[in-house]
């Protein structure tokens, strides 16, 4: 990713609060529009667990105290990785950290791998290639509807995202962290905390050391 490509401020991008999966979808769309080749370096990461309770630190909606996390039911970020240029970034629209943020810094400051979390808060990570996500993701936003039919939070002002074969809702499959048998080619793979942290941190450290 060139320096010009990388410098995308949040103000330049489409953002809707509480619709992180769509914010990242639209970011992938923008990256592809700028330079289609950059999309091969993008991995969409869904973070959740069977209890729908995952702590993430340094979030805008959280406490003013940096040691107090927000506990989301799920969250979605983008991991950018280019082994040739030694660039590794995390895009998180809801972080107080920089945008994009150095991947190692994000892991340490937002996810705190050194902590031993209680079992109900342990996080799982569904990793989906950016190109696959752009092709396969769909959401009719029904997960945000209350019983009276009103939205819990106002939806984006663009049409709901559908696939080319008219699939209208598969968000819940991306949020599912209990199994790895649902079409990896479409939904990516689920890894646990140790696997995720080892992958990201070792990639950054190894490539920086070899630079």
């Amino acid at each position: 990713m060139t320096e010009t490509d990388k410098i995308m401020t949040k103000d330049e991008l489409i953002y809707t609060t509480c619709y992180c999966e769509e914010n990242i979808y639209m970011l992938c769309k923008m990256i592809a529009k700028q330079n289609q080749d950059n999309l091969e370096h993008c991995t969409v990461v869904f973070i959740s667990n069977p209890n729908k309770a995952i702590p993430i630190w340094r979030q805008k909606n959280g406490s003013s105290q940096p040691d107090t996390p927000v506990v989301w039911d799920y969250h979605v970020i983008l991991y950018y990785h280019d082994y040739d240029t030694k660039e590794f970034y995390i895009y998180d629209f809801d972080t107080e950290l920089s945008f994009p943020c150095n991947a190692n810094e994000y892991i340490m400051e937002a996810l705190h791998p050194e902590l031993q979390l209680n079992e109900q808060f342990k996080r799982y990570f569904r990793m989906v290639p950016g190109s696959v996500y752009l092709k396969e993701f769909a959401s009719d936003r029904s997960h945000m509807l209350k019983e009276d039919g009103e939205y819990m939070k106002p939806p984006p002002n663009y049409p709901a995202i559908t696939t080319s074969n008219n699939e209208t809702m598969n968000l819940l499959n991306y949020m599912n962290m209990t199994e790895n048998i649902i079409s990896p080619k479409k939904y990516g793979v689920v890894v646990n905390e140790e696997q995720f942290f080892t992958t990201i941190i070792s990639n950054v450290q190894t490539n920086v050391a070899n630079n």
Side-chain angles (χ1 to χ4, degrees):
M1 185 180 287
T2 68
E3 199 66 21
T4 301
D5 291 335
K6 187 182 72 174
I7 301 174
M8 292 186 291
T9 66
K10 292 180 184 178
D11 292 339
E12 297 177 280
L13 299 169
I14 296 173
Y15 172 78
T16 309
T17 184
C18 294
Y19 289 82
C20 55
E21 66 282 350
E22 295 200 32
N23 295 331
I24 295 299
Y25 178 93
M26 299 306 288
L27 174 59
C28 286
K29 196 171 182 179
M30 177 63 75
I31 290 173
K33 181 179 180 181
Q34 285 190 338
N35 186 339
Q36 183 70 32
D37 291 340
N38 280 335
L39 202 58
E40 70 182 61
H41 304 299
C42 296
T43 298
V44 176
V45 183
F46 276 75
I47 312 170
S48 190
N49 65 21
N51 298 311
K52 298 293 187 286
I54 49 111
I56 301 180
W57 284 259
R58 304 297 297 273
Q59 297 284 280
K60 292 186 300 182
N61 293 334
S63 166
S64 59
Q65 301 300 318
D67 58 348
T68 302
V70 171
V71 178
W72 298 109
D73 54 347
Y74 72 99
H75 195 46
V76 188
I77 60 177
L78 180 72
Y79 173 43
Y80 180 88
H81 40 87
D82 189 328
Y83 303 105
D84 293 328
T85 63
K86 314 295 192 262
E87 292 179 294
F88 303 90
Y89 300 105
I90 297 290
Y91 288 84
D92 180 354
F93 282 89
D94 297 295
T95 187
E96 297 174 340
L97 300 169
S98 58
F99 184 91
C101 184
N102 172 275
N104 200 49
E105 178 186 358
Y106 184 90
I107 295 297
M108 303 307 293
E109 294 288 330
L111 299 177
H112 285 283
E114 80 281 4
L115 297 179
Q116 295 296 316
L117 300 177
N118 291 333
E119 192 66 32
Q120 66 265 34
F121 295 119
K122 287 186 177 179
R123 296 154 300 198
Y124 291 85
F125 302 81
R126 181 176 291 279
M127 305 180 72
V128 187
S131 57
V132 173
Y133 193 61
L134 270 186
K135 179 182 178 182
E136 302 290 354
F137 174 73
S139 175
D140 61 9
R141 302 166 183 162
S142 56
H143 67 296
M144 292 295 287
L145 290 174
K146 297 185 289 188
E147 290 185 1
D148 62 5
E150 295 294 320
Y151 283 101
M152 290 182 276
K153 293 289 183 179
N157 58 11
Y158 52 82
I161 298 169
T162 60
T163 66
S164 59
N165 62 355
N166 296 318
E167 188 171 6
T168 60
M169 183 59 171
N170 56 31
L171 169 61
L172 300 185
N173 286 335
Y174 286 99
M175 292 165 56
N176 181 353
M177 300 291 158
T178 61
E179 55 185 307
N180 240 333
I181 61 175
I182 52 171
S183 185
K185 290 184 178 180
K186 182 173 182 176
Y187 297 111
V189 296
V190 175
V191 298
N192 61 29
E193 289 189 344
E194 181 180 0
Q195 292 168 319
F196 181 75
F197 295 145
T198 299
T199 298
I200 306 301
I201 294 174
S202 64
N203 281 347
V204 174
Q205 292 177 342
T206 300
N207 282 276
V208 169
N210 293 335
N211 193 3

